[in-house]
Amino acid sequence: MENKITPITARFASPETENAYQDFIFEGDWRNNFYVLLVGVSIWGLYIILDIMALAEWRQAAAIRGAAVFFGIALVLLAQSSQIRLLRETTPLIVSLAVGLALVAIIYLYTDLDDAYYVGLVQECVFVCFLLRMSFMKTVAALAFLVATFSIFVSMKAGAEGANLQVVVMLTMAMVCGIGSYLLQKFRRFDFQKTLIIDEQNQRLKLLLKDEQRDNERKLAAMNLLVHFVKTPLHQINGFSDIVMNSLTRGDKRISHDEGVEGARYIKTATANLSKSVNSLLTYHRLDESERRRRYAKVDIDRAFGDFSDLIAARIVVKVEGQAGEVFTVPAAVKCAVESLAAYYNETHNDATHVELMLGSAATGVCIVVRDNGRTISEEDFLEKTKPLTKIDSYLTSAGSEMPMLLRTTARAVDLCGGQFLRGEVAEGNQFVISLPSAKAAAAEVDKAVAA
């Protein structure tokens, strides 16, 4: 938000900042004005006693004063029960003008200038500027009204030549009070600026704390996975290494080539599993790490998923249909999603022989439907295989020497693009649906992230 304050009006130059400031002070200012007006107008009404003591026609003066008191209190109570914000904003100004006009009427109709009733207007200037909470322009309007009406009406009274001093006193007091109001308005906005800075710093600290918490969760999840699925291959490598060594160094000097070859084969398999687990974990962890520094750009989805055919093993027939066009997304994440999905079909235990990709686009974004003729994956199994590492309850639920990471990595990459990776229902085989948001939706997410 822009924090510059306009010198003349003592308001923020930015309407957005000024509106935020008004929303921030609204309830507190109204509570203050409610009690100040009730007490102030009631005390002003007690001056009826002075009217009785000082004026010959005190009944008429008391009637005017009483009417102003009734009107002021009634309006304040009405505004308190009303949900109309404008009424609460203007009530202090209206009551101030009504009370001031009533006092000017009493001065004009029933007093001599020697009675010094104008002191009541001086008191009201102080009341308006330093007890009520109104905008500077409303305060200036109230002060100008009081000085102008007093000057006009006393100039029409007999002996008006004696009113010059009173008008000068009123004018100087109004100017002093106006300057005080101006400074108070600026000081309150300075305090609001400090509040904005503190709030912004708190938000940044919360984001930093949240990032650190997420980072710790990701590292803990990666460590749990590493410990569980690296431990088994290491035990295998260590055990079969002993077999190989024993086959080559028997006490009877006989060398068993068959046992040595078999042990070496197991070592190679365990090493491959270990390498695969580590590489899969690193790929997934890099995606997690890139979340905070992801960069958006235009990506040709047709070209990106056209490369899918080149990555698939020769034993699988791939068919691509339709066009999706371009989206504004994270190129690295799209590339990772395509590679992970292709690697999933290239696994030796995947029995799919045909894979069909259908590309399409809509106003909300693009959609890629992937169908295969492999063994059907249940919804529960799919959700387990695509669950983020940080949300896995137990790493011991997956049997074998490696954690299924390829569909999980695909889902994470799509998530980084702001999209979804879902499973569709088909009679045979499997159907996966990748949806990516449109450029407009993605740009909105970028703006939100930048603003945060």
Side-chain angles (χ1 to χ4, degrees):
M1 289 185 180
E2 184 181 349
N3 294 333
K4 182 180 179 182
I5 297 177
T6 304
I8 297 178
T9 62
R11 292 168 60 92
F12 286 111
S14 168
E16 179 186 0
T17 308
E18 181 63 26
N19 291 336
Y21 169 74
Q22 294 297 335
D23 291 337
F24 179 76
I25 65 172
F26 178 74
E27 290 297 333
D29 280 7
W30 170 246
R31 283 194 299 270
N32 172 84
N33 291 339
F34 175 75
Y35 293 111
V36 166
L37 286 172
L38 284 183
V39 175
V41 173
S42 299
I43 292 175
W44 185 79
L46 295 178
Y47 277 94
I48 290 177
I49 300 173
L50 179 62
D51 296 335
I52 295 174
M53 296 171 56
L55 303 179
E57 301 179 61
W58 63 269
R59 290 181 179 81
Q60 293 87 330
I64 295 176
R65 192 182 293 272
V69 170
F70 176 80
F71 171 78
I73 292 178
L75 184 58
V76 171
L77 294 177
L78 177 63
Q80 175 66 5
S81 62
S82 172
Q83 299 303 314
I84 302 177
R85 174 169 177 155
L86 182 61
L87 183 59
R88 291 188 175 183
E89 288 179 340
T90 57
T91 291
L93 177 62
I94 295 173
V95 172
S96 300
L97 297 181
V99 170
L101 184 60
L103 187 54
V104 170
I106 293 174
I107 293 173
Y108 176 72
L109 295 173
Y110 308 116
T111 72
D112 294 326
L113 295 179
D114 295 336
D115 293 329
Y117 257 58
Y118 78 97
V119 174
L121 291 175
V122 174
Q123 292 175 340
E124 187 175 353
C125 289
V126 176
F127 176 80
V128 167
C129 291
F130 301 112
L131 294 180
L132 289 180
R133 292 181 179 176
M134 296 191 298
S135 68
F136 176 66
M137 299 308 295
K138 285 188 175 71
T139 302
V140 169
L143 294 176
F145 177 82
L146 294 176
V147 173
T149 53
F150 176 75
S151 301
I152 292 172
F153 280 97
V154 297
S155 65
M156 296 187 296
K157 285 180 66 69
E161 58 277 1
N164 293 334
L165 178 61
Q166 296 183 4
V167 172
V168 171
V169 171
M170 275 290 300
L171 183 60
T172 54
M173 282 300 302
M175 292 178 63
V176 171
C177 291
I179 293 172
S181 174
Y182 178 83
L183 295 176
L184 283 176
Q185 292 289 334
K186 294 195 72 172
F187 290 153
R188 294 189 70 193
R189 282 168 172 80
F190 290 152
D191 289 339
F192 179 68
Q193 289 176 347
K194 296 176 183 177
T195 302
L196 289 179
I197 293 173
I198 293 173
D199 288 343
E200 182 180 356
Q201 291 174 341
N202 288 338
Q203 290 297 324
R204 288 180 179 177
L205 288 175
K206 288 180 180 178
L207 289 175
L208 288 175
L209 178 60
K210 191 174 181 181
D211 284 341
E212 288 301 319
Q213 290 174 339
R214 284 203 302 262
D215 191 48
N216 288 336
E217 289 175 356
R218 289 194 292 260
K219 289 178 179 177
L220 180 61
M223 183 62 68
N224 288 333
L225 179 67
L226 190 64
V227 168
H228 183 63
F229 288 98
V230 168
K231 180 173 62 176
T232 301
L234 286 178
H235 281 309
Q236 292 175 342
I237 292 171
N238 185 53
F240 289 114
S241 295
D242 291 338
I243 294 176
V244 173
M245 292 298 297
N246 291 334
S247 68
L248 296 176
T249 59
R250 287 185 171 183
D252 56 5
K253 305 300 182 178
R254 293 177 59 191
I255 298 175
S256 176
H257 292 285
D258 292 339
E259 290 182 5
V261 170
E262 188 68 17
R265 184 179 296 111
Y266 279 119
I267 291 174
K268 183 178 180 180
T269 301
T271 303
N273 289 335
L274 177 60
S275 177
K276 183 178 179 181
S277 294
V278 172
N279 289 333
S280 298
L281 178 59
L282 288 176
T283 301
Y284 187 93
H285 191 63
R286 289 191 192 101
L287 281 175
D288 275 345
E289 287 294 310
S290 67
E291 181 177 13
R292 285 178 290 180
R293 57 179 184 274
R294 51 186 162 179
R295 296 291 182 267
Y296 287 80
K298 285 186 177 181
V299 176
D300 188 340
I301 297 299
D302 300 330
R303 181 176 180 180
F305 279 88
D307 296 339
F308 182 83
S309 303
D310 300 331
L311 299 172
I312 291 292
R315 63 182 174 81
I316 301 175
V317 178
V318 180
K319 181 179 180 182
V320 181
E321 296 181 348
Q323 291 182 334
E326 293 183 340
V327 292
F328 192 69
T329 187
V330 185
V334 173
K335 183 174 182 291
C336 183
V338 173
E339 292 176 349
S340 298
L341 191 59
Y344 165 74
Y345 283 109
N346 289 337
E347 288 187 311
T348 55
H349 57 76
N350 193 312
D351 58 352
T353 58
H354 289 78
V355 178
E356 182 179 2
L357 272 70
M358 290 169 285
L359 311 179
S361 63
T364 56
V366 300
C367 181
I368 302 97
V369 179
V370 184
R371 290 179 182 171
D372 64 55
N373 64 342
R375 180 180 59 84
T376 302
I377 300 175
S378 67
E379 179 69 18
E380 181 180 359
D381 195 20
F382 175 81
L383 293 177
E384 188 64 32
K385 288 183 177 180
T386 57
K387 183 184 295 183
L389 284 185
T390 53
K391 295 183 179 180
I392 295 178
D393 300 322
S394 174
Y395 296 90
L396 301 177
T397 55
S398 292
S401 59
E402 60 179 293
M403 168 73 78
M405 289 294 295
L406 295 175
L407 289 182
R408 194 183 320 278
T409 303
T410 303
R412 185 70 178 108
V414 173
D415 179 63
L416 282 177
C417 296
Q420 290 182 306
F421 183 51
L422 304 173
R423 172 185 174 274
E425 289 289 346
V426 289
E428 295 180 355
N430 301 284
Q431 176 174 291
F432 304 126
V433 180
I434 299 175
S435 60
L436 300 175
S438 65
K440 184 177 181 181
E445 290 295 325
V446 175
D447 293 340
K448 186 187 298 184
V450 171

